[in-house]
Amino acid sequence: AISVHDALRHLTPDVAAMLKWPNDVFVGGSKLCGMLLERSGDFVVIGIGVNITHAPAILDRPATSMRQLGCENIDAAMLLNALTVAFARWVEVWRTYGLGPTISAWMERAHPIGTALRAELPDGSRLDGRYDGLDESGALLLRLSDGSRHTIHAGDIFLK
């Protein structure tokens, strides 16, 4: 997510993108990009979808595209080149310094602490609370209304 954010910032410095845990990129409250990661043995397969020319109709949230944001001059090849550079840089940061700098960078690019969120967890339960940062492993910290903190390792997160 950080790499995509950095690639977009490089290509479109006037577009204010924001990260939503764990792997979505939003602009102005609309989803521009989503990612899925799946582990296969010792490897991680990463799928990245950036809406360049078209934004699909998503039932549970608004979506946008680069074209709708006024970035008609950006094409897939340009984005892929910028993403390749950014991704290589962040892999090197992770290999050299561990997860700490990556978590810090993610938090700098994310919605602010205190943002209202709804979490739909894998067991079907829902939690409402406020974003309270990430833990040292990158898990989402959700501050509940009673003041307690819930750590979320997997789930669908919605900005409220």
Side-chain angles (χ1 to χ4, degrees), residues 6-122:
D6 286 0
L8 291 170
R9 187 168 48 194
H10 172 74
L11 294 171
T12 60
D14 296 333
V15 174
M18 176 198 75
L19 300 181
K20 183 190 71 66
W21 190 88
N23 297 314
D24 288 338
V25 179
F26 274 66
V27 176
S30 295
K31 186 173 178 176
L32 175 65
C33 171
M35 289 154 256
L36 293 174
L37 288 79
E38 187 172 318
R39 187 175 188 154
S40 179
D42 291 337
F43 301 95
V44 175
V45 179
I46 303 170
I48 301 172
V50 179
N51 301 331
I52 296 174
T53 61
H54 171 74
I58 303 174
L59 297 178
D60 60 357
R61 67 193 82 181
T64 191
S65 69
M66 300 295 292
R67 180 173 287 162
Q68 288 172 317
L69 295 170
C71 303
E72 294 89 6
N73 61 332
I74 306 297
D75 64 24
M78 292 170 67
L79 184 57
L80 182 58
N81 287 336
L83 177 57
T84 300
V85 171
F87 190 80
R89 181 172 141 329
W90 280 106
V91 167
E92 184 62 26
V93 168
W94 170 66
R95 286 181 175 159
T96 303
Y97 302 105
L99 199 52
T102 304
I103 291 172
S104 295
W106 191 95
M107 289 179 59
E108 289 170 6
R109 292 156 175 80
H111 42 78
I113 297 286
T115 299
L117 302 176
R118 182 178 79 238
E120 295 183 0
L121 304 179

Side-chain angles (χ1 to χ4, degrees), residues 117-135:
L117 302 176
R118 182 178 79 238
E120 295 183 0
L121 304 179
D123 67 2
S125 64
R126 289 184 178 182
L127 290 174
D128 290 313
R130 299 206 171 264
Y131 169 65
D132 204 25
L134 303 179
D135 74 6

